[in-house]
Amino acid sequence: MDKPPLVLNDIANFLQTEFKTDRYPISERGGIYKPADRPIRRVGLSLEPWPKIGEWVRAQDLDALWLHRPWQLNTAVLPPDVGVLTHHLPFDECLTTGYNTRLAQVLGLESLAELGYKQAADESGRLLPKRAIGMIGDVPERSTESWLEQIQVAFGGYDRVEAGQVRSHRRVAVVGAMNPELVHEAHERSVSLYLTGEYRKGTQKVVDETGMTVIAIGHKRTEEWGLRALGTLLTGRWEGLEVL
């Protein structure tokens, strides 16, 4: 018996599970932005729409579209049977700098532990499950210079390096935020290298006090890494699915 065709709702349900969207308020969970029943063979991924996105969808014969930030999308430029999915905060927290097990594998982090939490309430005021916003992992001892080379390969560059007192690292934090409390907690847990998206000037005092080495990769670079990871996630789940 032939398998039923892949449809938008299948991908939405899969990502709902992967991103554990039950931890977010309904308004932050994402999902189907523009419904459609068209069978899906080719899906396009983009961080946000651009003026000629409709032309791209048609030229690439796409059956569905996933957008990180969909708010400027004019759905009228798309073919009427092309559906749109979106995830904003769940994508950021699961596939960029945060508790991101796929990135941990790429960076060689082992014995992962959570660092920092967020917790939201649902529309009735009930507290939802906590979400870790960072991870700490053990690594074979490596220099800051070696880490910069790996970040260059994995992300295509970085925005800023704050060289700390320790130049060889055995314990690394990857965190989707940067504030004095998080840097201090990382230091207390024997972290000497802090990887994040954007460097926050308000943390300079605690960075100096702790001697932490910080590599700010850049927000856009981390999102682009996440976009590629999302493509791999989808093609790994559905054999034959084409992702652009």
Side-chain angles (χ1 to χ4, degrees), residues 2 17 35 50 57 70 72 92 105 118 130 137 170 172 192 199 205-206 217 223 243:
D2 293 337
T17 300
W50 66 97
V57 168
Q72 300 301 316
D92 278 336
Q105 290 178 343
K118 288 183 179 179
K130 289 182 178 180
R170 294 180 178 178
V172 175
S192 60
Y199 194 90
K205 181 179 179 181
V206 71
I217 300 166
E223 287 185 337
V243 173

Side-chain angles (χ1 to χ4, degrees), residues 42-53:
R42 292 166 64 85
V43 59
L45 311 181
S46 179
L47 294 175
E48 54 200 354
W50 66 97
K52 294 188 177 182
I53 192 170

Side-chain angles (χ1 to χ4, degrees), residues 182-196:
L182 288 169
V183 174
H184 189 267
E185 181 182 348
H187 173 69
E188 290 294 309
R189 295 170 66 179
S190 302
V191 168
S192 60
L193 174 60
Y194 194 101
L195 304 178
T196 191

